[in-house]
């Protein structure tokens, strides 16, 4: 049985302790809480990066569940804890099943569990594919801003991969006042390319939309390149394609060969997290035996401890931090609670008396 209640409506145990509540927040509610708030969410993501950089978080390694009978699929657990004004612990459980696409389903699905800071009790389960895409896009928009502040601001963007993440990244760039003269598009799927171009028209873009048949043409004609593919290993291997020194948002992490990264300036969201699981930066570390190719983190740039150069391509490779999911998820929870729209599950926690 479910009921709609304000978060302030709680039962109490005999000793005056509030009975823990548990809410389920649907994808529709998540979308309502986040829609049109791109600038606010980018600010939230920036604040979360700063908290993480200051050590006010716990973000252990992600755990990958893989399947011998389904080698392209995986489910990832991202546990995390964040302090500051958020004060919440939790876990994102996100699956990636690429074969879903041919069946007409999105590749990824996810839930997010939020745990109370003081008691550890889980207090909400949120549909999290939208939260995951939102924090990814907000992180990309934030990086594009900070990494281009001492460089000419890009006016030609190219999307390599045109799925849901590409759509969200464009939405966040547009929502944070980025303007482009041209938008390049390249994808191995004609259907995806057509769908993304349709989205751009519906979004009201004034940029010229150009579909590129080759990856090289897309990259060479773009000042800002967004990689949002499902590639499992590097497939872009020529540093010469980047001779014009573009800013690269390497969101999918495994598109670029070590040669491309070694010829570029490299920034990540978290060094230890990004250099694992055979990401492109991890492959560079394995080849060179060191991390000297890294110029710093995005937080280093925000604090003025590192700066992107003018004379090389600049690549941002974010592994994606669970603390970002927690921050965005708690924002959604607070919005639903403030509106009195929490769907609480009656008696979710059954045996709350220690001695019966």
């Amino acid at each position: 049985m479910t009921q709609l209640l304000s978060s302030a409506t709680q039962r109490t145990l005999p000793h005056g302790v509030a009975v823990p509540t548990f809410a389920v927040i649907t994808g529709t509610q998540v979308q309502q809480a986040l829609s049109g708030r791109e600038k606010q969410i980018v600010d939230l993501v920036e604040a979360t990066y700063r908290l993480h950089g200051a050590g006010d978080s716990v973000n252990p390694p992600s755990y990958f569940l893989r399947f011998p009978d389904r080698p392209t699929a995986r489910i990832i657990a991202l546990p995390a804890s964040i302090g500051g004004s958020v004060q919440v612990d939790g876990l994102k459980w996100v699956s990636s099943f690429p074969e879903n696409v041919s069946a007409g389903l999105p590749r990824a699905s996810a839930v997010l569990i939020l745990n109370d800071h003081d008691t550890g009790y889980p207090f909400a389960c949120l549909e999290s594919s939208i939260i995951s895409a939102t924090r990814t896009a907000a992180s990309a928009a934030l990086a594009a801003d900070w990494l281009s502040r001492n460089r000419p601001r890009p006016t030609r963007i190219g999307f390599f991969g045109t799925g849901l993440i590409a759509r969200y990244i464009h939405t966040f760039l547009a929502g944070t006042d980025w303007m482009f003269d041209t938008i390049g598009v390249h994808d191995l799927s004609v259907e995806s390319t057509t769908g993304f171009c349709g989205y751009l028209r519906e979004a009201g873009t004034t940029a010229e939309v150009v579909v590129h048949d080759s990856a090289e043409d897309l990259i060479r004609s773009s000042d800002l390149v967004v990689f949002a593919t499902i590639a499992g290993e590097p497939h872009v291997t020529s540093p010469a394609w980047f001779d014009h020194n573009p800013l690269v948002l390497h969101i999918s992490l495994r598109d670029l060969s070590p040669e491309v990264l070694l010829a570029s300036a490299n920034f990540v969201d978290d060094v230890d997290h990004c250099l694992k699981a055979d990401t492109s930066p991890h492959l560079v570390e394995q080849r060179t035996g060191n991390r000297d190719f890294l110029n710093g983190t995005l937080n280093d740039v925000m604090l003025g401890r590192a700066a992107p150069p003018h004379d090389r391509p600049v690549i941002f490779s974010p592994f994606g931090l669970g603390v970002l999911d927690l921050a965005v998820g708690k924002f959604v929870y607070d919005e639903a609670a403030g509106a009195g729209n929490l769907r609480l599950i009656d008696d979710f926690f059954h045996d709350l008396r220690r001695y019966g």
Side-chain angles (χ1 to χ4, degrees):
M1 179 178 179
T2 63
Q3 55 180 322
L4 292 178
L5 287 176
S6 164
S7 60
T9 305
Q10 291 185 327
R11 296 175 290 128
T12 58
L13 294 171
H15 295 290
V17 178
V19 173
T21 61
F22 188 80
V24 173
I25 299 177
T26 68
T28 298
Q29 290 177 290
V30 172
Q31 187 70 58
Q32 290 171 346
L34 296 176
S35 181
R37 295 181 173 177
E38 289 84 11
K39 291 181 180 179
Q40 190 173 0
I41 300 304
V42 169
D43 288 344
L44 174 63
V45 166
E46 177 173 342
T48 305
Y49 273 135
R50 292 183 185 275
L51 278 175
H52 181 66
D56 197 3
S57 66
V58 181
N59 205 111
S62 303
Y63 183 84
F64 286 70
L65 177 63
R66 299 185 183 275
F67 314 96
D69 61 328
R70 291 157 287 168
T72 65
R74 64 184 187 270
I75 307 179
I76 310 171
L78 287 79
S81 174
I82 184 170
S85 62
V86 183
Q87 293 285 307
V88 70
D89 313 323
L91 173 78
K92 182 172 75 170
W93 183 239
V94 55
S95 66
S96 175
F97 279 56
E99 300 303 320
N100 284 350
V101 175
S102 61
L105 284 173
R107 171 188 60 85
S109 59
V111 293
L112 177 68
I113 300 294
L114 301 180
N115 293 76
D116 183 78
H117 175 274
D118 296 324
T119 68
Y121 270 80
F123 62 86
C125 176
L126 299 85
E127 196 287 328
S128 197
S129 65
I130 297 170
I131 290 172
S132 187
T134 294
R135 63 86 152 149
T136 299
S139 170
L142 181 70
D145 177 29
W146 277 97
L147 293 174
S148 64
R149 289 192 178 189
N150 67 340
R151 294 160 56 98
R153 196 167 175 89
T155 59
R156 304 177 301 163
I157 188 171
F159 286 92
F160 196 140
T162 55
L164 181 141
I165 296 299
R167 172 163 60 87
Y168 269 76
I169 290 174
H170 176 267
T171 297
F172 266 80
L173 289 170
T176 50
D177 300 327
W178 282 78
M179 300 289 290
F180 299 103
D181 297 330
T182 61
I183 298 176
V185 178
H186 176 71
D187 197 296
L188 298 180
S189 166
V190 174
E191 182 180 359
S192 292
T193 300
T194 301
F196 188 69
C197 290
Y199 150 75
L200 292 172
R201 288 192 296 271
E202 292 177 7
T205 183
T206 58
E208 178 186 6
V209 179
V210 180
V211 177
H212 293 273
D213 293 330
S214 77
E216 180 179 359
D217 288 345
L218 175 87
I219 294 167
R220 288 187 180 277
S221 63
S222 303
D223 307 314
L224 174 59
V225 185
V226 179
F227 284 93
T229 74
I230 58 172
E233 58 185 24
H235 54 97
V236 175
T237 60
S238 175
W241 294 4
F242 300 85
D243 280 346
H244 57 302
N245 300 329
L247 172 58
V248 180
L249 302 178
H250 187 206
I251 305 304
S252 35
L253 283 176
R254 295 174 177 85
D255 301 274
L256 303 177
S257 71
E259 291 79 8
V260 173
L261 268 66
L262 287 168
S264 306
N266 294 279
F267 296 88
V268 296
D269 53 357
D270 183 284
V271 174
D272 290 330
H273 281 79
C274 194
L275 271 65
K276 64 181 179 182
D278 289 334
T279 63
S280 294
H282 189 205
L283 295 180
V284 176
E285 182 188 36
Q286 292 176 52
R287 175 178 295 190
T288 63
N290 61 62
R291 299 178 173 184
D292 295 344
F293 67 97
L294 292 178
N295 294 67
T297 66
L298 182 58
N299 189 56
D300 289 331
V301 175
M302 294 191 296
L303 292 176
R305 297 189 302 222
H310 295 266
D311 58 351
R312 281 181 290 163
V314 172
I315 300 174
F316 178 59
S317 300
F319 195 80
L321 302 178
V323 291
L324 300 183
D325 295 282
L326 290 186
V328 175
K330 184 58 163 49
F331 174 87
V332 171
Y333 178 88
D334 290 342
E335 288 294 310
N341 291 330
L342 285 181
R343 301 183 181 188
L344 300 183
I345 309 300
D346 282 340
D347 300 322
F348 184 82
F349 300 105
H350 173 62
D351 198 346
L352 292 170
R353 298 174 185 267
R354 184 175 183 186
Y355 299 108

